[in-house]
Amino acid sequence: MLLCARGYFARVHGVNQLLKAFLQKTKCHCQVLNLGAGMDTTFWKLKDEDLLPSKYFEIDFPMIVTRKLHNIKNKPLLSKPIVELHSEDMLHMDGHTLDSKRYAIIGADLRDLSELEEKLKKCNMNTQLPTLLITECVLVYMTPEQSANLLKWASNTFETAMLINYEQVNMGDRFGQIMIENLRRRQCDLAGVETCKSLESQKERLLANGWETACAVNMMELYSRLPRAEVSRIESLEFLDEMELLEQLMQHYCLCWATRGGQELGLKEISC
């Protein structure tokens, strides 16, 4: 847990920095697609900070979406902000979908692109808007062909777009192999691990699938860039005498981002 806490902080900080930079560049006249969103609460945080995009989409397996919708229905802290944004006739919810003017949750398999696109269009996805796509430990669970198809679909569908991807890297060394073996024992197979060989292979995958720029940084490097006051606060809450293990772990996760179009918005200037 100690190792995960610092990695979690670095990941959240990095993703949020890129997300907010995109929102600022587009002045929130954009849409966000969180692919494999799980129980993520970014929509509510953005609303509290008055940074909501034109529309925020979340996509995950129907089983996950059903559980999230149940939580929203039964927790006023989650449901009230959504209701506040819409009149009753503009809010539609069923077992696998919630759709409203500013927020949508969709149950779909990201490997089935025709189904994904159909459901997004039903929820009024606008391909003309600058679009940010977020994938956190999602692509690595797909085969390389499946993740390549998703990346191509995204780059072909939106003329102006940015992608943020967080997942494993440097998985070809001994530490990476131990990680793979440990996950396999838990019946968790990383079907796309061959694309996670290095920061270069991560960038090359993005460029090969229609993205015009690509950047990647491992989480240890990102952690070293964090505001010192925040790092001191986190480190004061935990005792850790295995810094070498921390560094090894964080060197095996990375944050990647890519852009397509948006020169007039300055998307290529975004970094973390």
Side-chain angles (χ1 to χ4, degrees):
M1 289 300 293
L2 297 181
L3 297 178
C4 291
R6 300 185 188 206
Y8 173 81
F9 175 70
R11 175 183 65 80
V12 170
H13 181 88
V15 172
N16 283 347
Q17 189 170 338
L18 293 171
L19 166 61
K20 289 181 179 179
F22 182 86
L23 293 171
Q24 289 163 2
K25 292 286 189 183
T26 61
K27 299 180 180 179
C28 294
H29 184 60
C30 61
Q31 59 192 2
V32 175
L33 274 63
N34 192 333
L35 307 177
M39 307 306 283
D40 185 76
T41 57
T42 299
F43 167 80
W44 289 269
K45 293 173 186 173
L46 293 178
K47 184 179 184 302
D48 287 344
E49 297 174 27
D50 197 26
L51 284 173
L52 277 182
S54 299
K55 189 156 185 175
Y56 191 98
F57 296 84
E58 293 183 351
I59 300 93
D60 214 314
F61 289 118
M63 179 178 67
I64 303 296
V65 166
T66 297
R67 192 173 77 177
K68 187 163 190 174
L69 292 178
H70 175 79
N71 286 343
I72 291 172
K73 288 178 185 177
N74 290 283
K75 294 183 179 179
L77 282 175
L78 298 177
S79 58
K80 186 178 178 183
I82 300 173
V83 173
E84 286 174 352
L85 287 169
H86 315 94
S87 60
E88 289 298 325
D89 61 336
M90 295 175 65
L91 181 61
H92 307 285
M93 188 184 299
D94 60 31
H96 296 151
T97 307
L98 179 153
D99 186 31
S100 62
K101 184 177 180 182
R102 304 291 297 276
Y103 181 47
I105 307 177
I106 297 168
D109 188 330
L110 296 173
R111 295 166 297 187
D112 186 339
L113 294 175
S114 59
E115 176 199 33
L116 174 65
E117 186 164 31
E118 179 185 355
K119 290 185 174 182
L120 282 167
K121 286 180 177 178
K122 283 184 179 178
C123 292
N124 298 308
M125 177 184 72
N126 184 350
T127 59
Q128 301 306 305
L129 274 180
T131 300
L132 173 65
L133 302 103
I134 302 173
T135 58
E136 296 186 69
C137 287
V138 171
L139 302 182
V140 71
Y141 290 103
M142 300 179 178
T143 66
E145 181 182 7
Q146 290 166 342
S147 64
N149 288 339
L150 180 61
L151 292 171
K152 286 177 187 174
W153 170 82
S155 64
N156 289 334
T157 299
F158 308 103
E159 186 174 333
T160 300
M162 179 173 171
L163 172 81
I164 301 172
N165 179 42
Y166 167 80
E167 67 182 0
Q168 290 87 341
V169 72
N170 297 325
M171 297 300 280
D173 65 14
R174 180 58 186 155
F175 191 91
Q177 290 303 305
I178 292 172
M179 287 175 63
I180 293 169
E181 290 165 12
N182 287 338
L183 287 167
R184 201 165 278 155
R185 288 192 198 102
R186 298 181 176 92
Q187 284 73 52
C188 186
D189 188 35
L190 302 180
V193 73
E194 69 180 72
T195 62
C196 303
K197 292 178 181 176
S198 66
L199 294 178
E200 284 305 311
S201 69
Q202 288 280 10
K203 291 188 287 186
E204 287 169 6
R205 171 172 61 166
L206 296 168
L207 295 173
N209 288 297
W211 296 87
E212 296 171 350
T213 70
C215 303
V217 60
N218 74 54
M219 298 311 292
M220 193 63 217
E221 183 178 344
L222 185 57
Y223 188 72
S224 70
R225 300 180 191 172
L226 297 179
R228 288 299 93 193
E230 278 299 294
V231 170
S232 297
R233 181 181 68 83
I234 295 296
E235 293 182 349
S236 70
L237 298 175
E238 14 177 77
F239 172 74
L240 182 62
D241 60 357
E242 299 182 53
M243 284 302 298
E244 184 179 349
L245 183 56
L246 171 68
E247 290 180 11
Q248 282 186 308
L249 181 63
M250 294 182 72
Q251 285 167 359
H252 286 80
Y253 283 89
C254 68
L255 191 62
C256 313
W257 61 101
T259 65
R260 177 175 174 80
Q263 286 86 349
E264 71 286 358
L265 297 173
L267 295 189
K268 291 182 180 180
E269 301 165 10
I270 294 177
S271 65
C272 65

